Amino acid sequence: MRQTIDKIATYILRFVPTVLAFITPLLFLTITPDYFNLNKQYFIYILASISLIAYIARVLTRGKIHLSLSPSLLSVIGLVTVYIVSSVWMNTNPQMTLFGPTALIVSLAIIFITVTSSQKNEITITSSIAGLIAASTLLSVFAILQYFGIPAKFITSDLLKSNLFTPTGYPLNTLTFVLPIAVGTLGLSIKSKDWLQKPINFSLAIIMLIGAFLSLKAVLPQNGQAGLIILPFQAGWSIAVDTFKDAKTALVGTGPDSFANTFTRLRPAYLNLDNNLWSIRFTNSSSEALTVLTVVGLLGLVFFLAIMIKPLLTMIKKERSSGDTQSIFLISSMIISLIIFLAIPFSVIGYALIFVLAIAITLKLKLVEGNKIKDVQIGLTANEVSSPSLYHDLSDKPTQIQLPILPWVLAGASAVLLAVFWTRAYAIYASSIAINQAVLTVKSDPQTSYQKQVDASNLDPYNPYYKVNLSQTFLAISLNLFQKKDSTNAEKQQALDLANQSINQAKAAATLDPQNEQMWENFANISRQLAAYQVQGAIDWTLATYGQAIS
């Protein structure tokens, strides 16, 4: 029984990177307002939870903890630490970031550590590469079909009517995922000596390059319409440098997912002279590297770069004396991913791609450069050793440490972590579904729409945007009653009550996220409109909240 559980857990961990590589770029669901990134994040959360459970099952059945000290391990742990510290220390609303971008990094780190510490085989590397190539090919084929408007001819959907639609969420996201894989696949075709694989890989690379080109074309200006607007590099650099004026923000940034607020506070004045830029509030910097530098500081950027560069340099040194095609793919893809990271912003799938490549490179190094990665085994007894078997992929002679209670402590801590996380994460996702239903029913069934907004706010009380939605709903109803001719005293009182509820919800939103100027602007706008109807305190709130927004 123990060996069966061990074997199942090992097989699960073996193919987690493949599932991550293939499903994540293609997944989207229309049950939430954000069809793309939110659902991709939650899919990664699920994979990380499965990986952690499988790893703990191996720990308990074997009575030992196995950890591979890879070139990226300390950097991964460091990045997780910086994200958590920055979320708690720098964000005024840490709940939003702990279960958002920080949870994403923690989940990818869990997948990296559990897979690299449990696998030492070609299957995981080969299947991960195959998953990346398959997903990239499908995205490219879709981009080609979408360019000619073919899907909309067969499927009736408002989504397919837009030439910007793609399963990744936006053509630029497709470009950042497809281009590294295309270059890597081209490297495979050039290096391969297999007469059958060579033309297949070359054909797939051409399809991907066409898909990447069409994705780029989709975001460029065309037919008199503006294309993708990215924050100018000079402005992104200026904002990042301004965070260095304070020691805390220099080290750990302004907090994950805080770039929009940071941009509003530190934006260069000359942007106001540009008719295309002065009114835009950018949520990302000029490149992903500058975004990371701004929101998680110098430490975050150093750790992130180390995750890519350290194993890459080791792999490049190894490749000088090897003709391995997998190494060519991994090196080429990681180099292009690194360039994209430094050049333009990207999304969830960009992070997933980097970690999949880091996992595959680490496992490749375990196979060809064993001295670069040391296996440490913490067992229940001093005499326990690894016994080779069909399902055992690791070194037969790892370094061993005797700490009898540690595997059980790890299992208990993991169980608590998963229970706490999913209790909160489930409520957040349920609230997102509720707010999506509220949007869909706002015209056909206003009462249901209102109730769904209330449900969303109750499920996720730390999300200020739900309270903004409610404040606007109360405002609209109250203004409608105020403007009604021949209204009764009861209706006038109801209008006042709703006006006060609107103000209270706006105030609650600003309290939850006091560094977000949008909360104060919403509060000020509501107060200004209600002041015309002599709502008590509205004028004072208008002056105070506009002043807070300005500050």
Side-chain angles (χ1 to χ4, degrees):
M1 182 63 180
R2 290 165 64 92
Q3 288 191 356
T4 301
I5 295 173
D6 190 352
K7 186 175 181 179
I8 292 172
T10 300
Y11 280 148
I12 289 173
L13 289 165
R14 181 172 297 169
F15 294 105
V16 162
T18 308
V19 176
L20 176 63
F22 180 70
I23 300 295
T24 306
L26 303 175
L27 177 69
F28 70 95
L29 297 172
T30 59
I31 61 175
T32 57
D34 178 0
Y35 297 169
F36 306 101
N37 284 336
L38 179 66
N39 294 295
K40 294 179 192 299
Q41 283 186 14
Y42 268 77
F43 179 71
I44 293 173
Y45 299 164
I46 292 170
L47 275 183
S49 300
I50 293 172
S51 298
L52 185 57
I53 292 171
Y55 183 75
I56 295 301
R58 280 171 52 97
V59 166
L60 295 180
T61 55
R62 297 188 180 201
K64 62 195 74 172
I65 298 173
H66 197 107
L67 186 65
S68 294
L69 305 182
S70 65
S72 295
L73 179 62
L74 291 180
S75 300
V76 168
I77 295 173
L79 185 66
V80 168
T81 303
V82 169
Y83 263 85
I84 293 174
V85 170
S86 184
S87 293
V88 175
W89 193 16
M90 305 305 297
N91 276 100
T92 54
N93 187 4
Q95 287 274 354
M96 287 283 287
T97 55
L98 282 173
F99 290 87
T102 300
L104 173 66
I105 295 299
V106 172
S107 296
L108 291 171
I110 288 173
I111 293 173
F112 177 88
I113 294 171
T114 55
V115 172
T116 57
S117 296
S118 64
Q119 303 298 313
K120 188 179 181 181
N121 57 75
E122 287 281 353
I123 297 175
T124 304
I125 303 169
T126 303
S127 61
S128 296
I129 293 174
L132 290 172
I133 292 175
S136 183
T137 302
L138 289 175
L139 288 174
S140 300
V141 170
F142 183 86
I144 295 170
L145 295 175
Q146 186 72 349
Y147 178 77
F148 293 103
I150 295 175
K153 295 179 181 178
F154 298 95
I155 303 174
T156 303
S157 172
D158 292 336
L159 287 174
L160 295 176
K161 293 178 181 178
S162 171
N163 65 335
L164 297 179
F165 173 72
T166 169
T168 63
Y170 195 68
L172 186 66
N173 299 337
T174 301
L175 174 67
T176 59
F177 183 84
V178 169
L179 187 58
I181 309 306
V183 174
T185 307
L186 190 61
L188 273 180
S189 67
I190 294 173
K191 196 74 173 178
S192 177
K193 297 179 181 179
D194 189 317
W195 66 270
L196 180 61
Q197 287 294 324
K198 195 178 188 73
I200 292 176
N201 289 331
F202 184 77
S203 300
L204 293 178
I206 295 300
I207 292 173
M208 293 180 212
L209 289 172
I210 294 172
F213 171 76
L214 293 178
S215 297
L216 176 62
K217 186 177 179 181
V219 298
L220 293 176
Q222 51 187 315
N223 301 325
Q225 296 181 347
L228 173 68
I229 298 178
I230 296 178
L231 181 67
F233 188 87
Q234 182 181 357
W237 175 253
S238 173
I239 292 169
V241 169
D242 278 347
T243 64
F244 278 63
K245 294 178 181 178
D246 180 85
K248 290 191 301 183
T249 54
L251 289 176
V252 295
T254 58
D257 205 25
S258 67
F259 186 82
N261 297 345
T262 306
F263 167 79
T264 304
R265 290 188 292 108
L266 302 178
R267 59 182 292 164
Y270 68 81
L271 289 181
N272 293 327
L273 302 177
D274 191 316
N275 291 332
N276 296 320
L277 299 178
W278 76 272
S279 62
I280 299 176
R281 284 173 174 160
F282 290 92
T283 56
N284 294 90
S285 191
S286 315
S287 71
E288 198 61 29
L290 287 178
T291 301
V292 170
L293 179 60
T294 303
V295 300
V296 287
L298 185 60
L299 288 177
L301 179 62
V302 169
F303 286 133
F304 206 106
L305 289 173
I307 290 172
M308 294 184 279
I309 294 174
K310 288 179 66 177
L312 183 60
L313 292 177
T314 305
M315 179 70 79
I316 290 174
K317 291 178 182 178
K318 188 277 302 181
E319 179 55 27
R320 291 175 181 174
S321 58
S322 170
D324 185 73
T325 56
Q326 288 181 340
S327 298
I328 290 294
F329 176 90
L330 296 173
I331 290 171
S332 303
S333 299
M334 185 63 94
I335 288 175
I336 300 301
S337 295
L338 177 59
I339 293 172
I340 290 174
F341 177 78
L342 296 172
I344 58 176
F346 57 59
S347 64
V348 172
I349 61 172
Y351 285 85
L353 171 60
I354 286 173
F355 272 83
V356 170
L357 291 174
I359 290 170
I361 290 175
T362 299
L363 295 181
K364 193 69 179 176
L365 291 175
K366 289 180 75 171
L367 291 173
V368 299
E369 292 282 346
N371 60 322
K372 298 292 183 181
I373 299 178
K374 187 176 183 180
D375 289 330
V376 176
Q377 195 164 274
I378 305 172
L380 292 177
T381 65
N383 295 325
E384 285 179 308
V385 295
S386 299
S387 56
S389 68
L390 177 65
Y391 54 89
H392 202 300
D393 302 312
L394 302 172
S395 171
D396 293 337
K397 296 181 180 180
T399 301
Q400 296 194 31
I401 303 172
Q402 183 184 8
L403 289 172
I405 196 66
L406 190 57
W408 298 99
V409 171
L410 179 62
S414 299
V416 172
L417 173 66
L418 289 174
V420 171
F421 173 79
W422 279 109
T423 298
R424 182 82 183 96
Y426 172 80
I428 293 173
Y429 195 78
S431 70
S432 186
I433 294 175
I435 205 68
N436 188 59
Q437 293 171 341
V439 172
L440 295 176
T441 58
V442 66
K443 293 183 178 179
S444 60
D445 191 351
Q447 182 62 36
T448 299
S449 178
Y450 161 73
Q451 187 56 52
K452 291 297 181 182
Q453 289 183 56
V454 173
D455 292 343
S457 184
N458 290 336
L459 284 166
D460 189 5
Y462 299 100
N463 191 325
Y465 293 99
Y466 293 158
K467 299 190 183 301
V468 168
N469 290 338
L470 276 175
S471 70
Q472 290 293 330
T473 299
F474 287 132
L475 175 66
I477 300 172
S478 64
L479 290 179
N480 185 57
L481 291 173
F482 278 130
Q483 295 166 2
K484 183 179 180 181
K485 295 181 179 179
D486 302 323
S487 59
T488 64
N489 290 333
E491 288 174 330
K492 291 178 180 178
Q493 184 59 49
Q494 184 183 13
L496 287 172
D497 292 341
L498 289 168
N500 286 323
Q501 289 190 58
S502 178
I503 289 176
N504 289 337
Q505 290 293 330
K507 182 180 179 181
T511 302
L512 276 174
D513 198 356
Q515 293 298 318
N516 189 335
E517 79 290 340
Q518 295 180 58
M519 304 298 114
W520 293 107
E521 288 176 357
N522 174 70
F523 196 173
N525 181 55
I526 288 172
S527 302
R528 180 180 59 80
Q529 293 189 65
L530 293 177
Y533 299 95
Q534 299 181 343
V535 175
Q536 185 177 4
I539 295 178
D540 294 334
W541 280 121
T542 303
L543 296 174
T545 49
Y546 270 128
Q548 186 64 35
I550 291 170
S551 70

